[in-house]
Amino acid sequence: MATDKTSLNLPKENLEAEDFLPILGTDYIELYVGNAKQAAYYYMSAWGFQPLAYSGLETGLKDKVSYVLQQDKIRLVLTSPLKSGGEINKHIEAHGDGVKVIALWVDDARKSYSETVSRGAKSYMEPKVLKDDEGEVVLSGIHTYGETVHIFVERKAYKGVFMPGYRSWDPYYKASDVGLKYIDHIVGNVGWNEMNKWCKFYAEVMGFAQLVSFDDKDISTEYTALMSKVMSNGNGRIKFPINEPASGRKKSQIEEFIDFYNGSGVQHMALSTDNIIETVSSLKARGVEFLTIPSSYYEDVLSRVGEIDEDLAPLKKLGILIDRDDEGYLLQIFTKPILDRPTMFIEIIQRKGAKSFGKGNFKALFQAIEREQESRGTL
Ligand code: FE2
């Protein structure tokens, strides 16, 4: 896909993503949560994640506990404080449960740190080496939007289950997986007029390029609007759309997020599957709630997107959306917020050639979100 940095006013030599890190993939997503033990059970039973590793009082920690879960290439870390008054407590007090760390798998965590900090990143963690009998992991970290951080993880000299400090976690309860494969993209919501600032950060500090941009004419309904740009790293494995609110007749879903999250943060993760009908059927059977789409959406969808491999009936029954671009089509569906605060949700996506993000579905999707906002009294 063509890159477009023109709207960022960057120097000409920055027209392509400059891969000085480079990033091999998403290493893990860490959420700070009020009760990691029960959150772990939710992600296992409802989402089919498998138990992988644990750290807490039993491994010598005094003040926090973490559960590590995995499904194919997707790794989640759920962390809760064990005492009052610490940094994790403050994060939960301010934001509710939410994503603290988007960890990026790199070849060289020291170089990733020096390259990004020298380009203006704010340091979160200077490079440090963790060792145990299985080898060593090097970590470093920088701040991004809100209180969210990126941790660079270098694990080429490590053969243990997750990283030093964790032991393998093998409870007798294991739910079957639901076919989720990898993280397709992670979306950040930022405040008014902050989208360009953070796109510039990803371009200048991380060497990312802009894939696409949507303005309020693309993404607006009768009531609400937002703007979005998608930043991607050089090899395309990392895609970070950044949203900001735009003014409409009523309150934008991005503003609702910012109000309840108390600032910028991760709005959704899109998780990829090779069979969205099977994955969503399993998730629904386990109680995951999705946005509902009116049946009128399906009356003319095939005339918009053309022929697809799947039967329309199961897509309609499950509420799965369809969109097409020059390279193919995609199937996608969005959960309702998975937390009490209307903040984070999860997208399930199956790509059949398409590399875009479902622009043709924005209207139906945002109308569905507005119906939910209305029921919360926040539209
Ligand atoms: Fe998405």
Side-chain angles (χ1 to χ4, degrees), residues 179-198:
L180 297 171
K181 299 284 182 194
Y182 61 87
I183 295 175
D184 186 274
H185 57 274
I186 301 170
V187 180
N189 280 348
V190 300
W192 292 95
N193 305 314
E194 285 189 4
M195 177 181 68
N196 283 331
K197 170 185 153 186
W198 289 106

Side-chain angles (χ1 to χ4, degrees), residues 42 47 288-292 334-339 342-346 368 372 375-376:
Y42 167 73
W47 288 89
V288 175
E289 294 184 317
F290 293 90
L291 292 176
T292 52
F334 299 83
T335 70
K336 294 181 180 181
I338 58 167
L339 305 165
T343 52
M344 196 176 90
F345 59 88
I346 293 177
E372 297 291 319
S375 72
R376 293 192 283 264

Side-chain angles (χ1 to χ4, degrees), residues 56-171:
L57 294 171
E58 297 83 349
T59 65
L61 292 184
K62 298 282 183 250
D63 57 349
K64 67 170 184 173
V65 58
S66 294
Y67 294 81
V68 187
L69 308 167
Q70 186 158 7
Q71 188 162 180
D72 205 325
K73 294 192 175 66
I74 312 163
R75 210 149 39 197
L76 299 181
V77 180
L78 305 165
T79 297
S80 285
L82 293 172
K83 295 188 170 165
S84 305
E87 285 305 309
I88 303 169
N89 308 68
K90 284 182 204 150
H91 198 276
I92 296 168
E93 160 71 17
H95 308 298
D97 290 5
V99 172
K100 174 64 182 178
V101 181
I102 301 169
L104 302 170
W105 176 31
V106 296
D107 253 339
D108 187 336
R110 293 178 183 87
K111 178 167 176 276
S112 301
Y113 181 84
S114 60
E115 293 278 6
T116 51
V117 169
S118 71
R119 286 170 168 82
K122 186 178 156 207
S123 171
Y124 174 68
M125 181 203 296
E126 287 190 13
K128 69 174 180 188
V129 182
L130 305 177
K131 285 185 186 179
D132 66 12
D133 295 343
E134 305 292 332
E136 66 172 49
V137 168
V138 188
L139 302 177
S140 63
I142 59 172
H143 288 266
T144 177
Y145 47 78
E147 287 201 278
T148 317
V149 301
H150 290 306
I151 290 184
F152 299 113
V153 183
E154 173 190 328
R155 51 171 70 256
K156 57 180 185 275
Y158 194 67
K159 48 186 199 323
V161 64
F162 180 56
M163 61 173 72
Y166 288 79
R167 70 178 193 197
S168 76
W169 175 40
D170 188 25

Side-chain angles (χ1 to χ4, degrees), residues 216 219-221 223-227 244-248 252-254:
D216 47 352
I219 316 184
S220 73
T221 64
Y223 295 127
T224 68
L226 65 89
M227 295 194 285
E244 74 172 34
S247 43
S252 161
Q253 51 168 299
I254 310 302

